Amino acid sequence: MKKLSRSQFLQVSIMLFGLFFGAGNLIFPPLLGNMAGKATFISLLAFSVTAVVFPVLGAIVVGKTNGLSNLANRVGPVFALVFTTAIYLSIGPGLGIPRAGSVPFEMAIAPYIPKSFNMNLIRLVYTFVFFAIALVICLRPNKLVERVGKFLTPALLLLITFMFFKIVTMDKSLAAPTGEYLTAPLTKGFLAGYDTMDAVAALNFGFVIAQAIRRFGIDDEKEVTRYEVKAGLVAGSVLFLVYSMLASIGMIGSAKFVGLENGAQVLTESIKLALGDFGLVLLAFIFTLACLTTCVGLISSGGEYFEKLFNDRLSYKAWVCIWTLFSFIMANFGLNKLLEFSVPLLQIIYPVALVLIVMGISQSFLNFTRESYLAAAAVSVGLPLVEVMDKTFHLSLGPVTSLVQGLPMYDTGLSWLLPTVIVVALTSLFVKVFVKEVEVKKVRQKY
């Protein structure tokens, strides 16, 4: 039986980390450290549940089920089609890919361009080069592991490590926790990790990693799953290590840099203090590499999904070109308008993604029935839908909205959590008891 070499396995693992680690992953931990101050460690642990544990489990469960469609099909074929397509569109050209092209420019380059320059033209040139590189990488999926896992991501890790060690040697100035990190550091940290969107992205990337392993000649599905589990654990460990470094950067200067609005500002002020103008150039490279690796994973996974969805009427390369071109246009002309639709959609599908990950990873020993999956999906989609309609669009469904508003953790955006757990437990119990009664009656009738 063919095995992966140590080098091949390491490339796959580092590639998975690179796919996860985009702009959000780079800016949320420093902001957490800046605001949590002395409570950074406990907040970081909670952050890691949604930013590390769930993404790794998501990649593993998609690998085990041989694709997101197969996992979602446990609810039903219609749900599988709608949910899977919504995931690929929202996290792909609907939000993730255009944002990956524009965020590094807006965060790390635009603030330092003289006002006399044409900002729109410079953005156009930057995003054109960015998406051209992403397209070249994606057009050769058999080279994806080598280009992302062997070159791009290791370079990113080296730059982040260099930045960390330069900043960590500065005088430490820790502040007391502020805002919600003062009153609820665990809950706030948990929700901050939720914002990385990696649990949803993992449902795309799990299949990419499984395909990458198969391209090395691993045909046995059990071996593919085993390698994917191990790669997920390595990628998760590296993610946690990098998050710890970034959160520490924010924590170290939390008393010096007060009132900053986002993690990019925290990194910028910290790196300027440590390395001066050179630090700004370094940060621009870090942002670009982080977004490029994620962008490549999103384009590649979307191309493979839509090629199969439309029965090969358009090739993988054609879909990759379409997604890249659309994302390039949106990154320059329509990102804000796109966010108005994509962000609410993600708020609706993210909870059910978490639920499917948990149920999928525990399926082998809890044996959930289709009814349990259906009930869980109905609650974890329905309640966030009502919540988004209320909070974002100010649309009320009368008594239904009032009922949802009265649920625990509504204010934190987790009103779906407790009802979903209860519904899954009750449905599973009912189905098992009902099935057992039917079997007993059949035995009695037989004898």
Side-chain angles (χ1 to χ4, degrees), residues 65 175 209 380:
T65 56
I209 295 301
S380 59

Side-chain angles (χ1 to χ4, degrees), residues 8-61:
Q8 290 170 335
F9 171 71
L10 191 58
Q11 287 177 41
V12 169
S13 303
I14 296 302
M15 173 185 168
L16 179 56
F17 163 83
L19 298 183
F20 281 136
F21 197 82
N25 311 76
L26 190 58
I27 63 178
F28 288 128
L31 184 62
L32 180 150
N34 178 263
M35 297 184 68
K38 295 177 181 178
T40 293
F41 180 71
I42 190 171
S43 298
L44 179 64
L45 290 179
F47 175 87
S48 299
V49 173
T50 41
V52 177
V53 177
F54 273 109
V56 169
L57 292 179
I60 291 171
V61 75

Side-chain angles (χ1 to χ4, degrees), residues 138-152:
C138 291
L139 286 175
R140 297 283 299 277
N142 58 322
K143 293 286 186 180
L144 209 58
V145 174
E146 181 180 1
R147 290 170 174 173
V148 176
K150 195 173 181 179
F151 298 111
L152 293 177

Side-chain angles (χ1 to χ4, degrees), residues 259-304:
L260 298 183
E261 295 180 359
N262 57 62
Q265 292 178 351
V266 176
L267 288 176
T268 300
E269 294 301 323
S270 300
I271 200 72
K272 276 171 64 179
L273 197 60
L275 292 169
D277 291 340
F278 170 74
L280 301 178
V281 177
L282 174 67
L283 193 59
F285 273 105
I286 289 173
F287 266 101
T288 300
L289 281 175
C291 291
L292 182 61
T293 53
T294 299
C295 186
V296 164
L298 293 172
I299 293 173
S300 178
S301 60
E304 290 184 344

Side-chain angles (χ1 to χ4, degrees), residues 69-387:
S69 297
N70 292 332
L71 174 62
N73 201 49
R74 291 177 179 177
V75 178
V78 175
F79 173 83
L81 177 62
V82 174
F83 173 72
T84 306
T85 303
I87 286 280
Y88 277 102
L89 287 176
S90 60
I91 203 73
L95 175 59
I97 303 173
R99 192 178 71 171
S102 64
V103 163
F105 177 83
E106 298 294 342
M107 292 288 190
I109 296 175
Y112 311 106
I113 294 175
K115 293 183 179 180
S116 57
F117 284 62
N118 188 323
M119 191 68 71
N120 291 331
L121 179 61
I122 296 174
R123 181 190 292 107
L124 190 70
V125 172
Y126 175 88
T127 52
F128 177 82
V129 174
F130 179 92
F131 283 113
I133 294 172
L135 179 61
V136 169
I137 296 172
C138 291
L139 286 175
R140 297 283 299 277
N142 58 322
K143 293 286 186 180
L144 209 58
V145 174
E146 181 180 1
R147 290 170 174 173
V148 176
K150 195 173 181 179
F151 298 111
L152 293 177
T153 306
L156 171 64
L157 285 170
L158 284 173
L159 292 178
I160 291 175
T161 304
F162 175 75
M163 176 177 68
F164 168 73
F165 280 111
K166 282 296 181 181
I167 294 175
V168 81
T169 56
M170 297 191 308
D171 293 335
K172 296 170 181 60
S173 181
L174 276 63
T178 58
E180 293 179 58
Y181 284 103
L182 176 62
T183 56
L186 281 171
T187 302
K188 183 60 180 174
F190 182 88
L191 291 174
Y194 191 97
D195 290 338
T196 65
M197 300 187 299
D198 274 348
V200 173
L203 300 178
N204 296 26
F205 297 151
F207 188 65
V208 175
I209 295 301
Q211 288 292 85
I213 294 170
R214 293 186 185 102
R215 289 190 182 104
F216 280 120
I218 309 298
D219 298 321
D220 185 84
E221 288 304 316
K222 289 184 178 179
E223 281 295 291
V224 172
T225 300
R226 187 173 72 86
Y227 278 122
E228 187 151 19
V229 170
K230 291 172 67 177
L233 293 175
V234 172
S237 300
V238 178
L239 264 176
F240 180 75
L241 180 62
V242 172
Y243 287 150
S244 300
M245 290 194 290
L246 293 171
S248 297
I249 289 173
M251 177 185 67
I252 287 168
S254 54
K256 292 178 185 175
F257 310 123
V258 179
L260 298 183
E261 295 180 359
N262 57 62
Q265 292 178 351
V266 176
L267 288 176
T268 300
E269 294 301 323
S270 300
I271 200 72
K272 276 171 64 179
L273 197 60
L275 292 169
D277 291 340
F278 170 74
L280 301 178
V281 177
L282 174 67
L283 193 59
F285 273 105
I286 289 173
F287 266 101
T288 300
L289 281 175
C291 291
L292 182 61
T293 53
T294 299
C295 186
V296 164
L298 293 172
I299 293 173
S300 178
S301 60
E304 290 184 344
Y305 171 72
F306 277 90
E307 181 187 22
K308 291 184 178 179
L309 180 64
F310 290 96
N311 298 317
D312 300 326
R313 290 175 186 171
L314 282 177
S315 67
Y316 164 82
K317 290 184 177 180
W319 280 112
V320 163
C321 290
I322 291 170
W323 277 43
T324 305
L325 178 61
F326 178 82
S327 300
F328 166 69
I329 294 170
M330 288 297 105
N332 284 277
F333 305 110
L335 185 60
N336 290 335
K337 184 61 66 175
L338 207 57
L339 291 174
E340 293 178 11
F341 296 96
S342 297
V343 171
L345 178 60
L346 276 171
Q347 290 172 340
I348 294 168
I349 63 179
Y350 205 100
V352 71
L354 296 181
V355 170
L356 286 178
I357 289 171
V358 172
M359 295 181 73
I361 207 73
S362 57
Q363 177 65 32
S364 58
F365 56 92
L366 289 179
N367 296 316
F368 294 109
T369 62
R370 181 177 291 275
E371 289 80 8
S372 297
Y373 276 98
L374 185 60
V379 175
S380 59
V381 170
L383 295 183
L385 175 61
V386 174
E387 192 170 320

